[in-house]
Amino acid sequence: MSFHYFAGHAYRALTARKDGPSLYEVCDPVLAGPSTGDPHIAKFYKMALGNPALRVLLNRAGLPELHDEARLGRLREALRRAREDQVPDWAAIGAPVADLVDSIELDHPRPPKIAFNRDAPALSVIDGVIRDCAQHLLRSYRESGFLPTYAAFNLIGDPDVRGRELIMALTGLNARGYKNSSLLFNLARVFIARSSARAIINPPWKGIAEPMWEPVQIRHRSAYYDAFFIEALLSYVETGLASPADTAAAKRAIDDMVDFCINISREEVKAQDGRRFDVITALAPAPHPRFSRFFAQIKQDLGFGVYVPDCDTTACSFSAATQAGSSDPILDQPLLDFYEGYQVRGGTNEPRVTVPLNDNIDYEGGVATWIDNVKGERPYGNDLDPTLNLDILEVSFRNLARWKVLETPSRLATVHRIIAFQKRLAESGAFANPRSHIYYLPELYSAYFGRCYAAYLALPLAAQQAIDPDGAFDLIRTHVLSYVQGEMLAGEINVFDAALALIALGHLGADVRTFAPALNCIVTQLGEGGRRGPFRAYEWNKMKTPTRILVGGPEVTSAFVLMGLALARKAMTGS
């Protein structure tokens, strides 16, 4: 968006006719004065929503229905109860806010259909972009000592979180600070979405993945991100385009990131049967995540004071270490024994999914996200994401022999249940619905299915038959290819969309002629990142609560473009 776009919409927000009490007229009488009761909610309000810049922007954003004194009073009373009650009734507290959330209209991107160039760029051009992306990653690693990723806030929230989902979050999350931030962020998003400020906080964009143009971005490091950076650098070395010096630099970075994933980020927990397992936490203890002191405090104030391990970071870290040739004993643990305790099985285990934001899908056979730490803490309750379950399958295929999956009936049964879960998603078409996903987009699911499918095809035919006797993988492949070719690449896309499309198409053995739209998008947008890298930052994954928090970065875009182009190059050259 241009300067004139933001200047024009800022002027409209600052001069709009005010109709009804503003966010601050609602909250200040309850939360701006001396704190009593729970100190976090008032502190969060002052830090996150009461900051001077947002106050100026939302000063004239009012809600006419709050002229009704009774309705305004119920809203303020809910805030008082959230602050004062020792054991708050969060469903009752959230009800007046949920009613307001249901008054806003938000939609997922619907890129227009466009004609595209069917001629793919020359292989030499593709090789040049691969080298540019690799140099960006190696340079960033050399300068920072790690490959950074960024988190950014979009205060307008996620289209899938309506009033009903807000109540799910308030009643299903465990940490009070996380409930506080979810309540207040959702109240604020009503004033944003129904005012001129909406155009500034949520400007339009091209494609599906959201560009990260928010002014405040929190730089950090996580084992989950390092795992994919490892895969990107491995794919660069495998292209044969790396010089001896680059190969050595990539190897050093890979070794360091493997160590970060499986040693520095390691945490011991108890499985559901009482056995001890080493798993991987997304945020290692300080100072390893590389937060600044300022942003470390923001993380605390948002309600993320305790960060527990998760099944996805564990799976991806084990996979990356396996691909890098690590022989660390941690990899000998049969993770499927651990995941079985977090697998949803109707009527046979404790309900795992306490925050069912995507309850449009059948959870049977899926593995939940968050792992109780050794103290038994569950700050985020639990949810279940389809893409995470692809990562569990992928790491299981890579360690099939090591974990004796085929020889152990319970492990093979766990795999079969996850595959059945994925098959239902494909057959119903739910995988292509953004609402079905907690942390990802359907295009991410498609790319990650390609990654999983490639690991499956690398197995001996007898193993493939034992794992998938009913041909579920081929069925899912057909549906995913149809989505990528018929929906994603039929419309306007951005660079990150294009990279994900190539990862899916390349791994799933698509006709190389279908690569052209994605390849041309990447080549023509080279340089869009300016001084920060070849390409700009886009949404890789997200949190839907407490508000829409996007994670990505210029390095992330370079990594995914590199992996997509490496796969395309391999298919185009027949290597």
Side-chain angles (χ1 to χ4, degrees):
M1 294 295 107
S2 68
F3 169 79
H4 295 290
Y5 172 91
F6 286 104
H9 285 288
Y11 175 79
R12 294 182 185 91
L14 297 175
T15 60
R17 177 179 173 274
K18 184 170 176 287
D19 185 8
S22 71
L23 173 67
Y24 305 104
E25 289 168 322
V26 172
C27 296
D28 279 355
V30 183
L31 301 176
S35 295
T36 58
D38 174 30
H40 174 267
I41 190 168
K43 182 178 181 181
F44 174 82
Y45 170 69
K46 295 169 187 176
M47 180 271 297
L49 303 183
N51 70 80
L54 198 58
R55 273 187 178 270
V56 170
L57 190 61
L58 295 180
N59 186 51
R60 306 192 67 79
L63 300 182
E65 58 264 51
L66 296 184
H67 283 307
D68 180 341
E69 289 294 333
R71 190 166 188 180
L72 177 60
R74 286 195 295 271
L75 192 56
R76 285 178 175 158
E77 178 61 20
L79 295 175
R80 287 192 186 93
R81 291 176 62 189
R83 186 192 67 189
E84 298 290 346
D85 290 359
Q86 187 172 1
V87 183
D89 180 346
W90 286 104
I93 288 169
V97 178
D99 288 344
L100 291 174
V101 169
D102 282 336
S103 72
I104 64 179
E105 296 182 2
L106 295 175
D107 294 305
H108 291 284
R110 293 181 179 141
K113 303 297 183 183
I114 59 171
F116 55 85
N117 182 358
R118 295 180 180 274
D119 297 324
L123 191 61
S124 60
V125 175
I126 294 171
D127 289 351
V129 180
I130 290 175
R131 289 191 177 98
D132 286 343
C133 291
Q135 290 304 316
H136 176 217
L137 295 177
L138 294 174
R139 182 176 65 253
S140 180
Y141 183 85
R142 185 170 59 250
E143 293 173 352
S144 300
F146 71 108
L147 285 169
T149 311
Y150 300 82
F153 298 87
N154 187 334
L155 297 181
I156 204 165
D158 195 274
D160 293 321
V161 178
R162 311 286 296 169
R164 174 175 173 269
E165 288 71 33
L166 170 61
I167 300 301
M168 287 179 180
L170 293 177
T171 56
L173 299 167
N174 287 349
R176 185 162 183 169
Y178 203 7
K179 294 173 187 272
N180 290 337
S181 54
S182 296
L183 180 73
L184 291 182
F185 268 138
N186 275 275
L187 179 58
R189 64 192 288 241
V190 181
F191 291 87
I192 294 167
R194 290 175 52 184
S195 72
S196 299
R198 172 182 183 141
I200 300 171
I201 290 175
N202 193 51
W205 68 85
K206 177 190 291 188
I208 303 170
E210 182 175 346
M212 293 174 58
W213 45 44
E214 289 78 1
V216 178
Q217 295 187 358
I218 303 174
R219 190 179 81 157
H220 61 295
R221 184 181 191 182
S222 164
Y224 180 79
Y225 314 142
D226 272 23
F228 282 90
F229 288 133
I230 289 168
E231 291 193 16
L233 291 178
L234 286 172
S235 69
Y236 176 49
V237 173
E238 289 166 4
T239 63
L241 298 174
S243 68
D246 283 353
T247 300
K251 180 65 165 59
R252 288 193 296 271
I254 289 167
D255 289 345
D256 172 67
M257 289 189 286
V258 168
D259 181 65
F260 182 82
C261 286
I262 62 175
N263 288 315
I264 292 173
S265 301
R266 181 185 306 207
E267 182 173 345
E268 187 182 66
V269 298
K270 287 183 180 178
Q272 299 305 303
D273 61 6
R275 283 186 290 168
R276 298 269 179 160
F277 275 82
D278 286 330
V279 296
I280 310 301
T281 186
L283 285 181
H288 299 294
R290 302 295 188 102
F291 286 114
S292 69
R293 183 176 300 176
F294 173 70
F295 285 129
Q297 187 60 49
I298 287 180
K299 180 178 79 72
Q300 184 83 13
D301 292 342
L302 283 174
F304 292 96
V306 176
Y307 216 97
V308 294
D310 66 273
C311 292
D312 209 4
T313 299
T314 301
C316 292
S317 295
F318 274 50
S319 174
T322 301
Q323 293 177 65
S326 173
S327 58
D328 193 290
I330 193 175
L331 302 177
D332 294 331
Q333 298 176 118
L335 279 182
L336 285 168
D337 291 356
F338 179 82
Y339 287 140
E340 183 183 7
Y342 283 85
Q343 189 171 46
V344 174
R345 299 177 66 184
T348 63
N349 65 348
E350 175 190 355
R352 280 282 158 200
V353 182
T354 65
V355 190
L357 300 181
N358 57 345
D359 62 354
N360 59 303
I361 66 174
D362 177 6
Y363 297 138
E364 172 71 29
V367 175
T369 303
W370 298 101
I371 298 171
D372 303 353
N373 65 17
V374 76
K375 296 179 182 178
E377 293 172 306
R378 302 180 185 179
Y380 316 124
N382 225 323
D383 49 52
L384 195 151
D385 187 275
T387 308
L388 176 158
N389 280 264
L390 292 176
D391 293 335
I392 292 173
L393 290 177
E394 190 266 355
V395 72
S396 299
F397 298 158
R398 291 193 181 278
N399 290 280
L400 197 76
R402 174 185 272 159
W403 296 349
K404 301 187 184 303
V405 175
L406 300 184
E407 298 86 348
T408 311
S410 62
R411 294 170 193 167
L412 185 57
T414 299
V415 169
H416 284 161
R417 286 191 289 269
I418 298 175
I419 293 173
F421 165 71
Q422 300 292 353
K423 182 181 179 182
R424 292 194 302 274
L425 283 170
E427 288 178 321
S428 66
F431 80 94
N433 181 355
R435 178 176 169 75
S436 302
H437 304 274
I438 298 291
Y439 301 105
Y440 305 94
L441 295 166
E443 56 178 357
L444 259 295
Y445 176 92
S446 301
Y448 285 24
F449 173 73
R451 175 174 170 269
C452 178
Y453 187 76
Y456 167 76
L457 286 187
L459 299 173
L461 288 176
Q464 293 180 32
Q465 180 62 28
I467 288 167
D468 182 22
D470 300 323
F473 271 97
D474 285 337
L475 182 146
I476 300 170
R477 173 184 179 273
T478 298
H479 284 280
V480 169
L481 279 177
S482 177
Y483 167 74
V484 173
Q485 295 170 338
E487 295 188 43
M488 273 185 68
L489 294 182
E492 192 175 57
I493 57 174
N494 58 44
V495 167
F496 206 74
D497 302 333
L500 296 173
L502 288 176
I503 292 172
L505 296 174
H507 278 315
L508 298 180
D511 189 323
V512 295
R513 291 172 294 183
T514 65
F515 298 179
L519 292 171
N520 285 315
C521 173
I522 290 171
V523 168
T524 56
Q525 294 302 309
L526 181 65
E528 67 172 11
R531 290 177 296 177
R532 296 189 67 187
F535 303 102
R536 65 185 307 174
Y538 292 90
E539 168 190 357
W540 173 14
N541 51 65
K542 62 178 177 284
M543 301 283 287
K544 291 186 174 183
T545 59
T547 188
R548 186 170 165 83
I549 304 175
L550 308 181
V551 178
E555 288 84 0
V556 170
T557 307
S558 287
F560 275 84
V561 169
L562 195 164
M563 288 189 283
L565 292 182
L567 284 167
R569 183 182 191 277
K570 184 176 181 179
M572 293 167 71
T573 59
S575 59

Short mmCIF file of all heavy atoms in Angstrom, two decimals, residues 108-114 205-209 443 483 486-494 497:
data_model
loop_
_atom_site.label_atom_id
_atom_site.label_comp_id
_atom_site.label_asym_id
_atom_site.label_seq_id
_atom_site.Cartn_x
_atom_site.Cartn_y
_atom_site.Cartn_z
N HIS A 108 -12.28 -14.37 4.43
CA HIS A 108 -10.97 -14.81 3.96
C HIS A 108 -10.73 -14.25 2.56
O HIS A 108 -11.68 -13.93 1.84
CB HIS A 108 -10.91 -16.34 3.94
CG HIS A 108 -10.91 -16.95 5.31
ND1 HIS A 108 -9.80 -16.95 6.11
CD2 HIS A 108 -11.89 -17.56 6.03
CE1 HIS A 108 -10.08 -17.54 7.25
NE2 HIS A 108 -11.34 -17.92 7.24
N PRO A 109 -9.46 -14.14 2.16
CA PRO A 109 -9.16 -13.62 0.82
C PRO A 109 -9.83 -14.44 -0.28
O PRO A 109 -9.90 -15.67 -0.19
CB PRO A 109 -7.64 -13.72 0.73
CG PRO A 109 -7.16 -13.77 2.14
CD PRO A 109 -8.24 -14.46 2.92
N ARG A 110 -10.32 -13.75 -1.29
CA ARG A 110 -10.89 -14.42 -2.47
C ARG A 110 -10.23 -13.81 -3.70
O ARG A 110 -10.80 -12.92 -4.35
CB ARG A 110 -12.41 -14.21 -2.51
CG ARG A 110 -13.13 -14.92 -1.37
CD ARG A 110 -14.62 -14.71 -1.46
NE ARG A 110 -15.30 -15.41 -0.38
CZ ARG A 110 -16.35 -14.92 0.26
NH1 ARG A 110 -16.83 -13.74 -0.07
NH2 ARG A 110 -16.93 -15.60 1.22
N PRO A 111 -9.02 -14.26 -4.02
CA PRO A 111 -8.30 -13.66 -5.15
C PRO A 111 -9.08 -13.78 -6.45
O PRO A 111 -9.69 -14.83 -6.72
CB PRO A 111 -7.00 -14.47 -5.21
CG PRO A 111 -6.84 -15.05 -3.84
CD PRO A 111 -8.23 -15.31 -3.36
N PRO A 112 -9.07 -12.73 -7.26
CA PRO A 112 -9.79 -12.80 -8.54
C PRO A 112 -9.12 -13.78 -9.49
O PRO A 112 -7.91 -14.00 -9.45
CB PRO A 112 -9.69 -11.37 -9.06
CG PRO A 112 -8.47 -10.81 -8.41
CD PRO A 112 -8.40 -11.43 -7.05
N LYS A 113 -9.93 -14.39 -10.35
CA LYS A 113 -9.38 -15.28 -11.38
C LYS A 113 -8.66 -14.44 -12.43
O LYS A 113 -9.12 -13.36 -12.81
CB LYS A 113 -10.50 -16.07 -12.06
CG LYS A 113 -11.35 -16.91 -11.10
CD LYS A 113 -10.53 -17.99 -10.41
CE LYS A 113 -11.40 -18.86 -9.51
NZ LYS A 113 -10.62 -19.87 -8.77
N ILE A 114 -7.53 -14.91 -12.89
CA ILE A 114 -6.74 -14.17 -13.87
C ILE A 114 -6.18 -15.11 -14.93
O ILE A 114 -6.05 -16.33 -14.70
CB ILE A 114 -5.56 -13.41 -13.21
CG1 ILE A 114 -4.62 -14.40 -12.49
CG2 ILE A 114 -6.05 -12.34 -12.25
CD1 ILE A 114 -3.33 -13.78 -12.01
N TRP A 205 -4.70 -7.00 0.23
CA TRP A 205 -3.45 -7.51 -0.30
C TRP A 205 -3.72 -8.45 -1.46
O TRP A 205 -4.84 -8.85 -1.71
CB TRP A 205 -2.65 -8.22 0.79
CG TRP A 205 -3.23 -9.51 1.30
CD1 TRP A 205 -3.07 -10.76 0.78
CD2 TRP A 205 -4.06 -9.69 2.47
NE1 TRP A 205 -3.73 -11.70 1.52
CE2 TRP A 205 -4.35 -11.08 2.57
CE3 TRP A 205 -4.58 -8.82 3.42
CZ2 TRP A 205 -5.13 -11.59 3.60
CZ3 TRP A 205 -5.35 -9.34 4.44
CH2 TRP A 205 -5.62 -10.71 4.51
N LYS A 206 -2.66 -8.79 -2.17
CA LYS A 206 -2.74 -9.69 -3.32
C LYS A 206 -2.47 -11.12 -2.87
O LYS A 206 -1.52 -11.39 -2.14
CB LYS A 206 -1.70 -9.29 -4.37
CG LYS A 206 -1.66 -10.23 -5.59
CD LYS A 206 -0.48 -9.95 -6.49
CE LYS A 206 -0.61 -8.61 -7.21
NZ LYS A 206 0.47 -8.44 -8.22
N GLY A 207 -3.31 -12.05 -3.33
CA GLY A 207 -3.08 -13.46 -3.04
C GLY A 207 -3.79 -13.93 -1.79
O GLY A 207 -4.77 -13.34 -1.34
N ILE A 208 -3.26 -15.02 -1.21
CA ILE A 208 -3.90 -15.68 -0.07
C ILE A 208 -3.13 -15.41 1.22
O ILE A 208 -3.70 -14.91 2.19
CB ILE A 208 -4.00 -17.19 -0.33
CG1 ILE A 208 -4.77 -17.47 -1.62
CG2 ILE A 208 -4.67 -17.90 0.84
CD1 ILE A 208 -4.72 -18.91 -2.08
N ALA A 209 -1.86 -15.76 1.28
CA ALA A 209 -1.07 -15.52 2.48
C ALA A 209 -0.95 -14.02 2.72
O ALA A 209 -0.67 -13.25 1.80
CB ALA A 209 0.32 -16.15 2.33
N GLU A 443 -3.45 -23.71 1.77
CA GLU A 443 -2.29 -23.83 0.87
C GLU A 443 -1.08 -24.39 1.62
O GLU A 443 -0.27 -25.12 1.03
CB GLU A 443 -1.96 -22.49 0.24
CG GLU A 443 -1.70 -21.37 1.24
CD GLU A 443 -1.32 -20.07 0.56
OE1 GLU A 443 -1.20 -20.06 -0.67
OE2 GLU A 443 -1.14 -19.09 1.27
N TYR A 483 -7.15 -28.85 -5.84
CA TYR A 483 -7.23 -27.55 -5.16
C TYR A 483 -6.12 -26.61 -5.62
O TYR A 483 -6.36 -25.44 -5.95
CB TYR A 483 -7.15 -27.76 -3.64
CG TYR A 483 -6.92 -26.49 -2.88
CD1 TYR A 483 -7.94 -25.55 -2.72
CD2 TYR A 483 -5.67 -26.19 -2.34
CE1 TYR A 483 -7.72 -24.36 -2.03
CE2 TYR A 483 -5.44 -25.02 -1.65
CZ TYR A 483 -6.48 -24.10 -1.49
OH TYR A 483 -6.24 -22.93 -0.82
N GLY A 486 -6.63 -26.01 -9.55
CA GLY A 486 -7.92 -25.46 -9.96
C GLY A 486 -8.37 -24.24 -9.19
O GLY A 486 -9.22 -23.48 -9.67
N GLU A 487 -7.83 -24.04 -7.99
CA GLU A 487 -8.23 -22.89 -7.18
C GLU A 487 -7.07 -21.95 -6.92
O GLU A 487 -7.12 -20.78 -7.31
CB GLU A 487 -8.84 -23.37 -5.86
CG GLU A 487 -10.16 -24.13 -6.06
CD GLU A 487 -10.85 -24.42 -4.73
OE1 GLU A 487 -10.89 -23.51 -3.87
OE2 GLU A 487 -11.33 -25.55 -4.55
N MET A 488 -6.01 -22.44 -6.27
CA MET A 488 -4.89 -21.56 -5.94
C MET A 488 -4.32 -20.88 -7.18
O MET A 488 -4.21 -19.66 -7.25
CB MET A 488 -3.78 -22.35 -5.25
CG MET A 488 -3.91 -22.47 -3.76
SD MET A 488 -2.45 -23.31 -3.07
CE MET A 488 -1.16 -22.08 -3.37
N LEU A 489 -3.92 -21.69 -8.16
CA LEU A 489 -3.19 -21.15 -9.31
C LEU A 489 -4.12 -20.62 -10.40
O LEU A 489 -3.64 -20.14 -11.43
CB LEU A 489 -2.26 -22.21 -9.88
CG LEU A 489 -1.12 -22.62 -8.95
CD1 LEU A 489 -0.21 -23.64 -9.63
CD2 LEU A 489 -0.30 -21.42 -8.50
N ALA A 490 -5.41 -20.68 -10.18
CA ALA A 490 -6.35 -20.07 -11.13
C ALA A 490 -6.61 -18.62 -10.79
O ALA A 490 -7.22 -17.90 -11.57
CB ALA A 490 -7.67 -20.84 -11.13
N GLY A 491 -6.16 -18.18 -9.62
CA GLY A 491 -6.39 -16.81 -9.19
C GLY A 491 -5.08 -16.07 -8.98
O GLY A 491 -3.98 -16.61 -9.14
N GLU A 492 -5.22 -14.82 -8.59
CA GLU A 492 -4.07 -13.96 -8.32
C GLU A 492 -3.32 -14.50 -7.10
O GLU A 492 -3.94 -14.83 -6.08
CB GLU A 492 -4.58 -12.55 -8.05
CG GLU A 492 -3.52 -11.49 -8.03
CD GLU A 492 -4.16 -10.13 -7.86
OE1 GLU A 492 -4.89 -9.93 -6.87
OE2 GLU A 492 -3.95 -9.26 -8.72
N ILE A 493 -2.01 -14.60 -7.19
CA ILE A 493 -1.20 -15.14 -6.10
C ILE A 493 -0.05 -14.20 -5.78
O ILE A 493 0.32 -13.34 -6.58
CB ILE A 493 -0.64 -16.54 -6.43
CG1 ILE A 493 0.19 -16.51 -7.73
CG2 ILE A 493 -1.74 -17.57 -6.52
CD1 ILE A 493 0.90 -17.83 -8.03
N ASN A 494 0.49 -14.36 -4.58
CA ASN A 494 1.72 -13.66 -4.22
C ASN A 494 2.86 -14.67 -4.14
O ASN A 494 2.68 -15.86 -4.40
CB ASN A 494 1.55 -12.87 -2.92
CG ASN A 494 1.15 -13.75 -1.73
OD1 ASN A 494 1.69 -14.84 -1.53
ND2 ASN A 494 0.19 -13.28 -0.94
N ASP A 497 2.37 -17.71 -1.74
CA ASP A 497 1.43 -18.65 -2.35
C ASP A 497 2.13 -19.49 -3.41
O ASP A 497 1.95 -20.71 -3.49
CB ASP A 497 0.28 -17.90 -3.03
CG ASP A 497 -0.49 -16.98 -2.09
OD1 ASP A 497 -0.52 -17.25 -0.88
OD2 ASP A 497 -1.07 -16.00 -2.60
#
